[in-house]
Amino acid sequence: MNKTEKAVLGLLIEDSNRTADVLATDIGVTKRTIERTLVSLQKKGKIERIGSKRDGKWIVIR
């Protein structure tokens, strides 16, 4: 995992309701970078989305 993926996982553990915009601001990268990172983490089986894009939340799989 790269440093962005590790940072995203850490923030999602703290608050699974964070949006891509908030994650991008917290980490200091673009929203698009966060979107790519979330897709990568899903493919690796590290996170899962529960609910809709608007009202859902992330589940970190340990």
Side-chain angles (χ1 to χ4, degrees):
M1 284 196 318
N2 63 36
K3 67 179 182 176
T4 303
E5 291 173 335
K6 289 177 184 176
V8 168
L9 278 179
L11 291 173
L12 289 177
I13 288 170
E14 291 175 12
D15 180 8
S16 62
N17 293 318
R18 289 182 194 225
T19 64
D21 286 328
V22 172
L23 288 168
T25 302
D26 290 346
I27 296 173
V29 297
T30 65
K31 180 181 174 185
R32 182 67 186 123
T33 298
I34 295 298
E35 290 169 349
R36 282 193 303 269
T37 301
L38 292 171
V39 169
S40 173
L41 289 170
Q42 284 178 300
K43 287 181 180 178
K44 292 178 180 179
K46 300 288 184 183
I47 61 173
E48 184 178 314
R49 183 74 178 178
I50 302 296
S52 68
K53 285 185 177 184
R54 183 174 180 183
D55 298 323
K57 66 179 186 174
W58 293 104
I59 302 296
V60 178
I61 302 166
R62 296 182 183 210

